[in-house]
Each structure stands twice: as C-alpha cells, then as structure tokens.
C-alpha cells in the first residue's frame, strides 16, 4: 500500500508532461468554445527552430495608402547596411508556402537644407546645428554622443550642446557630468504637474529655482538652487567648455546668477523679461568645470545651458524617457519658435517608436495624426531646418518561446514612412539598417552584445553601431550630387532676447 502511494507523484508528473506534450502538437490559433488556445512549447528553450520560419511578419493593414516599396526618387545614399551577425533571410523549403515578409520601406529624401548648411560649414566653418529628439533609446547621449563626435571630427566644432538643468540620465551620461541641488521645481511634458505661467522649453521641461527671500549676496553660493557641470572626457571635442549659453525666461530685473568657472567667480545679472532670454558665458580660457547658483527674487524659469563653439557642428540631445513623440505637442508653439530663432537649427531628427509599438496593435492612425501635428509645428518653428524621421529600430517579442521581431514593428514602420511622405520630410529605415527581421535578437545574442536583455534597448556598443549607420546615411546624402547648394545665413542677432509671433 505504501509502495503504491509513493508512486503517485511520479505518475502525476508523467501524466502532466504527457498532456502538455500532446498540446504541443495542436495547430497554432486553435479555438475551443470561442477561446483561442495559446501554443505550448515544452522544449522551446532547448530546441531552436528556424528563425525565418518562426518570424512571420504581417504586412501593414490598409489604414492608409501604403507607399510603394521603391520609387525613382527614393533610396538615396548607400544601400541598407547589414549588421554583422544579423539574421540572414532563409530560403523556404521546396514546396513550402512562403512566409510573409516585412514590407520593404525605402528611405525618403528631403535633407537639402541640412546638406547645404553642412557644405557651408565645411567651406567657411559657419555653424550647423542639429536637434535630435528621442526617448530612452538616446538617453545618456547614447547614439547621439558618437554621432556628434563623428560629425565634429569631420566638420569641426566642440561642445555637447544643450543640457537641461537636471535629467534622469545625469548619473550615467559620459559626455558631460552634472550635479544639481534638490530644491529645483520641475515641470515637464509627460508629468501631470502643470507649469502654470512658465511655459515648457525646447527640451519639454522648465525649472524654477528656489526664491531667495532674504537676499544676501554673501549667501549666494551655499543657499540657492544650483547646477554644476564637468566636461566629459570620452571625446576630445568635449573636454573643455569654450562657450556656454544660459537660456532662461522672464523674472525680476534684480535676479542674479553666480557663475564659477574653474574656481573663478563672476556675478551676472539676469535682466531678461522676454519669454526666452540668453546669457552668453565665455571663459577667458576653455574650462573644465562650471557652476551656476541662482538668486531670484521671484519665479524665474530656467531651461538649460548649451555648451558649444561658434563654428562647426553642434548636436543637441533631447531625450525623454517614456515619450512616444506625441508629447512634443505640449510645448507651446511660441516658445518652440523662440528657441528656433535662438538656435537656428538646420536639421531636426525625430526618433521614436519603442514607447508606441504595442504587441497586437495593428492600427496606428492615432499616431500618424498626432505626429503630423508635431512635424507641422517643427516645420513652422524651424523653417530653415530639414526634418528627418528615423524609423523605429527592431524590437523583439517572445512568441512560442522564441524572441523574434514583434509583428507590430513593420506596421509602425509603415506608419512612420507614410507620416514622412505626407509631410514631405525625410525618412530613414533604421530597422533595415540594423539588418532587418530578427536583427535585435542577433544584437542581443552576439558577443559582445550590442543590445540589452530586454530585446528592445541598445547598449553603448549598439549606440556606437547605430551612430555609425546613421552617419553613413547622412554622408551619403551629403555626397549626393543633386543636393541644393549652400545657402547664405542671415546676419547674427545683435541682442540676446528672442521673441516669436503666436501662430
């Protein structure tokens, strides 16, 4: 009797394994009583099926006119680059039905203004400025740090560009080191905290330093809101601060900021009363460290500091974790246009997707509509800039135990290409440049890996690879003989206040 009881767990486990084994042979998508059964793969972590057979990407739905795969004017620049180790397309077995393939989405032209400015920079040294908007894919200057270094090495320039007063990536960003006091009040484009009378700036943030009620200039260093920057050492053009530009909003004419540069302290007035004002700080010699301590008498919005040089290329990283791009519509147009006048961008890059792509979602019309408004505002706020939409990178989903390209990726990619075509801006297919289908799996599993184990985000090596891919694409446009000639720049502004007409 005891012997029979001791065998019960064994038979129970054996029956369970046998039952699950039988489920493994069920046809995928089988429904019982209206309930769709989920496939069971007991040995999925041991047996690796043919990746080409597992990943069957659905074509985009007819939620808009799908652009043709190739056109006579499309696909400028170099051919899509295959990442080493990326999954190669596999030939179907004889007699087997061909698996659906992701759509071949061509790059779209539209970088003439940027190319013209870049040629002028090469010829005369005059500045070309780039704004790179994105999400956590570029957080900590990932990708953009390497891209900036490639451009500055080729066309000159120095500095890390615009840096907000604080950031969630301040602790691990390598291109500039940043600390700040904890008493800043922040409002941003994804939070529920409304900025009140202080509009958001170009980075989607606005910061208010603590008001000094009993003003005493001798206390300005230890008793005020402050931010401190130290130059990053990774890239040579970033190891010194040649020039800094502080951007701030209106406030009391008696407000001041104490600037300490490599130990040398200088007190500056903040007299600006316009919606956007600028204080240019030029050290006697390039500095490694700069600290700004604010002493406002009332509310004084502060946006950030730009570290740059008068010539060459400046690239601003505007990353915001969790932003799908649509939140950029929360930045008041008047303020966006004021920054446009101050910073004179020649290229705007919009790189989003990982916060929008949702497994199972097949209709992205809401995204196209919201991003159309974003692009329209960018075109009006930065009329001298080309706009480039970077298609989302590959992103994996676990299907039947395997990490494969999420079926929603090609659907969103097609929506991003339609967005670019309808608004007459450039489009670059990053998904194809990475290697296409299942490239993210290859990036994660190769040695050394180029992406993190979440099969979505790249690591620093992946950032270097993506920067090189994008740089190659931009240089292909730069070398294109049909690009517009260099255009003349307007005379520089004589004041430090920027106004924009409401639209």
């Amino acid at each position: 009797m005891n012997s029979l009881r001791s065998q019960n767990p064994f038979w129970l486990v054996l029956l369970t394994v046998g039952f699950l084994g039988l489920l493994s042979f069920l046809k995928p998508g089988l429904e019982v009583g209206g309930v769709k059964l989920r496939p069971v793969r007991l040995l999925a972590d041991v047996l690796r099926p043919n990746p080409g057979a597992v990943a069957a990407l659905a074509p985009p739905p007819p939620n808009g006119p799908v652009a043709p795969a190739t056109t006579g004017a499309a696909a400028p620049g170099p051919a899509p680059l295959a990442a080493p180790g990326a999954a190669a397309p596999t030939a179907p077995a004889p007699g087997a039905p061909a698996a659906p393939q992701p759509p071949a989405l061509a790059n779209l032209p539209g970088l003439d203004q940027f190319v013209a400015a870049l040629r002028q920079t090469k010829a005369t040294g005059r500045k070309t400025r780039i704004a790179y908007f994105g999400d956590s894919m570029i957080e900590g200057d990932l990708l953009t740090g390497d891209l900036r270094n490639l451009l500055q090495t080729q066309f000159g320039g120095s500095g890390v560009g615009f840096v907000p007063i604080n950031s969630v990536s301040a602790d691990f960003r390598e291109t500039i080191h940043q600390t700040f006091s904890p008493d800043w009040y922040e409002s941003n484009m994804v939070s529920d905290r409304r900025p009140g009378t202080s509009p958001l700036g170009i980075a989607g943030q606005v910061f208010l330093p603590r008001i000094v009620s009993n003003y005493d200039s001798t206390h300005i260093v230890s008793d005020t809101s402050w931010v401190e920057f130290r130059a990053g050492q990774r890239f040579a053009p970033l190891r010194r601060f040649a020039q800094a530009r502080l951007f701030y909003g209106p406030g009391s004419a008696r407000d001041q900021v104490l600037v300490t540069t490599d130990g040398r302290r200088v007190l500056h007035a903040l007299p600006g009363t316009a919606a956007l004002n600028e204080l240019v700080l030029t050290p006697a010699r390039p500095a490694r460290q700069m600290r700004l301590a604010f002493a406002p008498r009332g509310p004084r919005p502060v946006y950030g500091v730009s570290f740059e040089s008068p010539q060459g290329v400046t690239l601003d990283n505007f990353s915001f974790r969790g932003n799908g791009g649509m939140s950029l519509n929360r930045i008041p147009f008047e303020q966006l246009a004021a920054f446009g006048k101050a910073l004179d961008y020649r290229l705007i890059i919009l790189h989003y997707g990982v916060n929008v792509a949702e497994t199972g979602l097949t209709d992205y019309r809401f995204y196209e509509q919201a991003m159309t408004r974003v692009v329209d505002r960018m075109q009006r706020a930065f009329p001298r800039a080309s706009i480039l939409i970077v298609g989302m990178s590959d992103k994996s989903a676990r299907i039947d135990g395997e990490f494969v390209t999420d079926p929603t990726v090609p659907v969103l990619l097609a929506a991003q290409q339609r967005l670019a075509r309808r608004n007459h801006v450039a489009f670059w297919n990053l998904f194809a440049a990475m290697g296409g289908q299942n490239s993210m799996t290859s990036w994660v599993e190769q040695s050394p890996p180029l992406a993190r184990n979440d099969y979505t985000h790249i690591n620093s090596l992946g950032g270097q690879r993506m920067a090189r891919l994008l740089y190659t694409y931009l240089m292909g446009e730069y070398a294109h003989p049909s690009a517009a000639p260099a255009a003349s720049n307007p005379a520089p502004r004589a004041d430090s206040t920027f106004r924009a007409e409401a639209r």
Side-chain angles (χ1 to χ4, degrees):
M1 189 69 176
N2 291 336
S3 175
L4 290 176
R5 285 183 177 176
S6 64
Q7 294 179 5
N8 286 343
F10 171 77
W11 289 112
L12 182 60
V13 171
L14 186 62
L15 286 172
T16 302
V17 172
F19 178 71
L20 293 176
L22 289 175
L23 291 180
S24 300
F25 292 98
L26 294 179
K27 183 180 178 181
L30 181 65
E31 292 187 4
V32 176
V35 178
K36 188 175 182 180
L37 298 182
R38 190 172 179 178
V40 176
R41 291 176 57 88
L42 286 181
L43 303 178
D45 291 333
V46 179
L47 302 178
R48 304 298 302 271
N50 184 342
V54 172
L57 300 179
N63 58 359
V66 179
T70 57
T71 67
L81 303 177
T90 55
Q101 295 297 313
L105 298 176
N107 298 332
L108 300 177
L111 297 181
D112 287 354
Q113 295 187 83
F114 168 65
V115 169
L118 209 54
R119 288 179 176 169
Q120 194 166 63
T121 298
K122 192 68 172 178
T124 67
R126 185 164 290 180
K127 180 189 288 290
T128 293
R129 192 168 194 121
I130 302 168
Y132 199 122
F133 293 88
D135 47 31
S136 55
M137 291 293 288
I138 62 167
E139 195 173 76
D141 225 2
L142 204 63
L143 189 167
T144 50
D146 290 280
L147 178 62
R148 180 189 304 110
N149 185 58
L150 289 167
L151 290 169
Q152 290 182 339
T153 300
Q154 180 66 25
F155 298 95
S158 64
V160 74
F162 189 94
V163 183
I165 294 300
N166 70 43
S167 168
V168 295
S169 64
D171 290 339
F172 56 86
R173 183 171 181 173
E174 296 182 355
T175 51
I176 191 168
H177 304 288
Q178 178 184 7
T179 54
F180 43 84
S181 60
D183 53 358
W184 289 87
Y185 177 88
E186 177 190 353
S187 181
N188 61 61
M189 58 185 167
V190 301
S191 74
D192 295 329
R193 300 168 68 180
R194 298 294 104 191
T197 58
S198 301
L200 299 175
I202 189 171
Q205 298 164 294
V206 60
F207 306 91
L208 296 174
R210 186 165 56 84
I211 297 172
V212 177
S213 55
N214 299 314
Y215 183 76
D216 183 347
S217 62
T218 60
H219 295 164
I220 195 169
V221 175
S222 59
D223 196 25
T224 62
S225 301
W226 56 269
V227 59
E228 183 171 320
F229 302 96
R230 286 187 297 111
Q233 299 300 305
R234 182 180 172 192
F235 300 118
L238 309 184
R239 293 173 185 162
R240 294 286 192 281
F241 299 145
Q243 184 185 75
R245 301 167 67 187
L246 167 66
F247 291 96
Y248 64 96
S252 169
R254 295 180 297 171
D255 292 351
Q256 293 179 308
V257 57
L258 179 65
V259 180
T260 305
T261 306
D262 285 349
R264 183 171 181 269
R265 305 188 343 167
V266 178
L267 192 61
H268 295 269
L270 296 176
T273 57
L276 182 63
N277 310 279
E278 175 183 350
L279 174 65
V280 179
L281 304 168
T282 305
R285 57 185 179 184
R288 290 190 175 190
Q289 192 167 358
M290 182 173 289
R291 187 179 194 273
L292 297 91
F294 294 82
R297 298 295 186 92
R300 170 72 79 172
V302 180
Y303 295 106
V305 182
S306 175
F307 298 95
E308 57 188 76
S309 59
Q311 298 86 27
V313 172
T314 298
L315 191 154
D316 299 327
N317 172 297
F318 293 122
S319 61
F320 207 101
R321 185 181 299 181
N323 180 23
M326 296 172 283
S327 297
L328 292 173
N329 285 321
R330 294 187 177 182
I331 303 174
F333 176 80
E334 295 82 359
Q335 200 68 357
L336 200 63
F339 272 99
K341 287 188 176 181
L343 299 175
D344 190 24
Y345 287 110
R346 309 309 297 271
L347 175 62
I348 304 294
I349 299 177
L350 301 173
H351 181 173
Y352 295 100
V354 296
N355 294 300
V356 181
E358 182 180 340
T359 302
L361 191 60
T362 59
D363 190 340
Y364 285 96
R365 279 177 291 189
F366 73 96
Y367 173 77
E368 289 184 62
Q369 292 171 359
M371 289 303 293
T372 292
R373 185 168 177 238
V374 170
V375 172
D376 174 69
R377 286 157 49 87
M378 293 288 180
Q379 288 173 322
R380 290 188 289 119
F382 312 116
R384 287 160 50 83
S386 299
I387 295 180
L388 171 64
I389 294 177
V390 174
M392 77 165 295
S393 54
D394 189 28
K395 169 180 176 289
S396 298
R398 191 163 188 169
I399 299 176
D400 292 352
E402 293 295 320
F403 283 103
V404 296
T405 293
D406 191 319
T408 199
V409 169
V411 184
L412 179 55
L413 268 175
Q416 291 177 322
Q417 195 211 40
R418 285 195 299 273
L419 170 69
R421 186 179 293 278
R422 287 170 175 164
N423 291 279
H424 308 289
V425 301
F427 171 79
W428 180 56
N429 191 340
L430 172 59
F431 174 83
M434 288 178 65
Q437 190 170 342
N438 295 329
S439 54
M440 178 55 73
T441 305
S442 300
W443 282 41
V444 173
E445 297 180 355
Q446 73 177 62
S447 181
L450 301 179
R452 303 177 192 171
N453 288 334
D454 64 359
Y455 288 79
T456 299
H457 293 90
I458 55 176
N459 58 22
S460 60
L461 290 178
Q464 294 175 30
R465 176 69 59 82
M466 277 192 182
R468 175 64 67 176
L469 292 169
L470 180 51
Y471 176 77
T472 301
Y473 163 71
L474 294 176
M475 290 303 97
E477 292 291 296
Y478 177 75
H480 201 282
S482 63
S488 59
N489 282 343
R493 299 180 61 88
D495 55 44
S496 60
T497 297
F498 305 92
R499 302 177 186 275
E501 296 180 358
R503 300 191 185 189

